[in-house]
Amino acid sequence: MRRTIAIMGVCAPERRSYAERTAIALARPLHLLRFADLRAAHALPLPRPRTDDERVVVDMAADIDLIHSITARGGAEVEAVCVVDARHMIGDLLDDTALVTSAAPGDTRGDVGARARQAALALELATRIVWINWEQVPTPALAVQMALASHLNPGAVVRLTRDPLNDLASEASHEGEILERAGWVHALNDEHDPYMRDNRVMTLRYEHVRPFHPARLSAALDRLDDGAAGRLVRSAGFCRLASRPGILARWEHVGSAMWIEPIGADDGRMGLGQEIAFTGLDLSAPRLAHILDDAALTDAELAAGPAAWTSFDDPLPAWPAVESSIPDATD
C-alpha cells in the first residue's frame, strides 16, 4: 500500500471525517496531517514517513494547491483519494462561488467558480474516487454521477464507500504524470475510455483549424452556458483567439465559470486552431459543433490576416503581456 494517502474533496466535514476514519482503519504506525493546520503547506516540503512501514494520511484542505502539494509528496506515488458527497456532487461542479472570499488580487482562489474548479481538479488528480452518503441518492442519479466522474478521470478506481480499508484494497493505477489522468487529456490523445458509462454522460472532442473571433466566441459561450447544446459540466484544451495572434491559450471551464489564459508563443507544436474536450449531460454533438463553428473566422476574415484580426471587437478578459510568435509589422 502506498505510504502517503492524500484525501481530497471540497466538502470539508465529509473529507475530514473520511481522513480520520482512514487513519484509524489502517491501525498501523501513521500520522494524520491536516493541511488546514499548515496554511503555507503548498509552499513547504510535506512531512514524509520516517520508515518504510509508516504511512501518512493527509487531509488536503479544499483551498490549497493540489497539484503542488501532491507533487511535493511524490507525485504519481501518492495515493490520491477524492471524497465525493453523493448528495451534491454535480452541484459542486456547477458552483460559481470562490474558494476564498477574501483572496488578494491575483489569487485564483478568489475567482468566480474557483470552488467548482477545485472540485473538478480533485476528481481529475485522483487515483481513487469514493462516494459517501450514496445510500441517500436514487440509483439512476448515482449512476450518472459515477459515469461523470469516470469521464473526468477514466483511470480512477470508483467505489461506493463502506469503509476506507475496502476502498484501498483494490489496485489503482499510478502510471504517468498526475496531470495526465484528466479525462480531457485522454480525449485529446484519442484514448478516452471511461470505466463507468451512462447514456446521459458524454465526452466530445472538438477541433477546428481556424482561430475564434473573440466577440462571436463570447456570444457562443453565453449560448452554451444557457444549455443550447446540453448541460456542459467541464471542458478543457487549447485555443487561439484571432484578435491575439501568435499566442496559444489554455481553455478551461467548469460549470458556469470560464478561463481562457495565455500559455505562450504559438510555435505550431500544439497543432492548429482549436483542440478542446467537452464533458457533460445530454450533450448534442451537432449543436455544440455548430455553435463553436459559427465563432470561427469566416473565409473573408481569415483572408484579411492577423493585422486585421487585431482590430476585432474583443470583449474577453485582457491577458498579461505575452510575447507573440507573429512578427511585428514594423520589423
Side-chain angles (χ1 to χ4, degrees):
M1 185 180 293
R2 304 283 163 169
R3 291 191 295 151
T4 299
I5 304 170
I7 311 298
M8 307 177 294
V10 294
C11 300
E14 290 80 9
R15 185 197 67 246
R16 291 169 183 163
S17 174
Y18 189 89
E20 291 171 354
R21 289 189 291 117
T22 301
I24 293 170
L26 289 174
R28 297 278 297 278
L30 54 84
H31 293 302
L32 173 60
L33 301 177
R34 291 191 182 280
F35 264 85
D37 300 330
L38 300 170
R39 302 318 305 167
H42 59 284
L44 296 174
L46 303 182
R48 292 180 175 272
R50 293 171 298 198
T51 70
D52 289 341
D53 201 34
E54 186 178 31
R55 283 160 292 171
V56 176
V57 179
V58 184
D59 173 17
M60 307 279 271
D63 62 343
I64 69 165
D65 183 336
L66 293 176
I67 296 173
H68 188 104
S69 300
I70 292 175
T71 300
R73 278 303 290 147
E77 291 300 310
V78 173
E79 194 71 81
V81 182
C82 179
V83 178
V84 172
D85 190 329
R87 297 170 299 181
H88 46 74
M89 171 190 159
I90 294 179
D92 289 337
L93 291 168
L94 302 177
D95 193 337
D96 63 1
T97 61
L99 271 176
V100 179
T101 56
S102 59
D107 187 338
T108 58
R109 295 177 302 169
D111 287 355
V112 172
R115 191 172 189 274
R117 193 182 201 179
Q118 190 83 335
L121 184 60
L123 288 166
E124 292 173 345
L125 294 176
T127 54
R128 303 173 191 273
I129 304 170
V130 300
W131 276 258
I132 62 171
N133 298 320
W134 55 270
E135 304 92 339
Q136 304 174 36
V137 177
T139 299
L142 197 58
V144 168
Q145 288 189 28
M146 297 184 76
L148 180 58
S150 196
H151 273 253
L152 295 176
N153 185 337
V157 173
V158 294
R159 291 185 64 93
L160 303 177
T161 185
R162 293 189 183 276
D163 68 80
L165 276 185
N166 283 336
D167 296 341
L168 294 168
S170 57
E171 186 63 29
S173 174
H174 290 264
E175 297 180 359
E177 299 293 332
I178 61 173
L179 292 176
E180 295 176 354
R181 296 171 183 166
W184 69 269
V185 177
H186 285 248
L188 295 189
N189 289 336
D190 287 324
E191 54 186 25
H192 192 262
D193 185 21
Y195 176 72
M196 299 287 292
R197 297 175 183 270
D198 186 273
N199 289 336
R200 293 191 60 203
V201 182
M202 185 180 298
T203 294
L204 304 171
R205 176 176 175 173
Y206 175 79
E207 294 181 293
H208 202 296
V209 297
R210 297 184 180 185
F212 286 128
H213 186 295
R216 292 203 300 274
L217 176 60
S218 180
L221 293 176
D222 288 340
R223 292 185 63 193
L224 293 176
D225 190 42
D226 288 340
R231 176 69 269 180
L232 286 175
V233 175
R234 171 72 163 147
S235 63
F238 305 97
C239 67
R240 282 82 173 168
L241 302 179
S243 55
R244 308 173 194 191
I247 299 173
L248 176 66
R250 167 76 186 276
W251 171 297
E252 185 174 13
H253 141 265
V254 189
S256 295
M258 181 79 197
W259 299 265
I260 298 179
E261 300 169 332
I263 296 175
D266 188 358
D267 56 12
R269 288 183 295 178
M270 292 302 297
L272 298 173
Q274 326 303 334
E275 298 175 276
I276 309 166
F278 293 84
T279 296
L281 307 178
D282 308 314
L283 296 184
S284 167
R287 288 201 296 270
L288 176 66
H290 176 72
I291 291 169
L292 291 173
D293 286 351
D294 278 353
L297 295 188
T298 65
D299 291 346
E301 289 168 341
L302 184 66
W309 303 346
T310 56
S311 65
F312 289 163
D313 177 31
D314 188 341
L316 299 173
W319 290 343
V322 178
E323 184 178 350
S324 170
S325 62
I326 301 295
D328 192 290
T330 60
D331 289 348

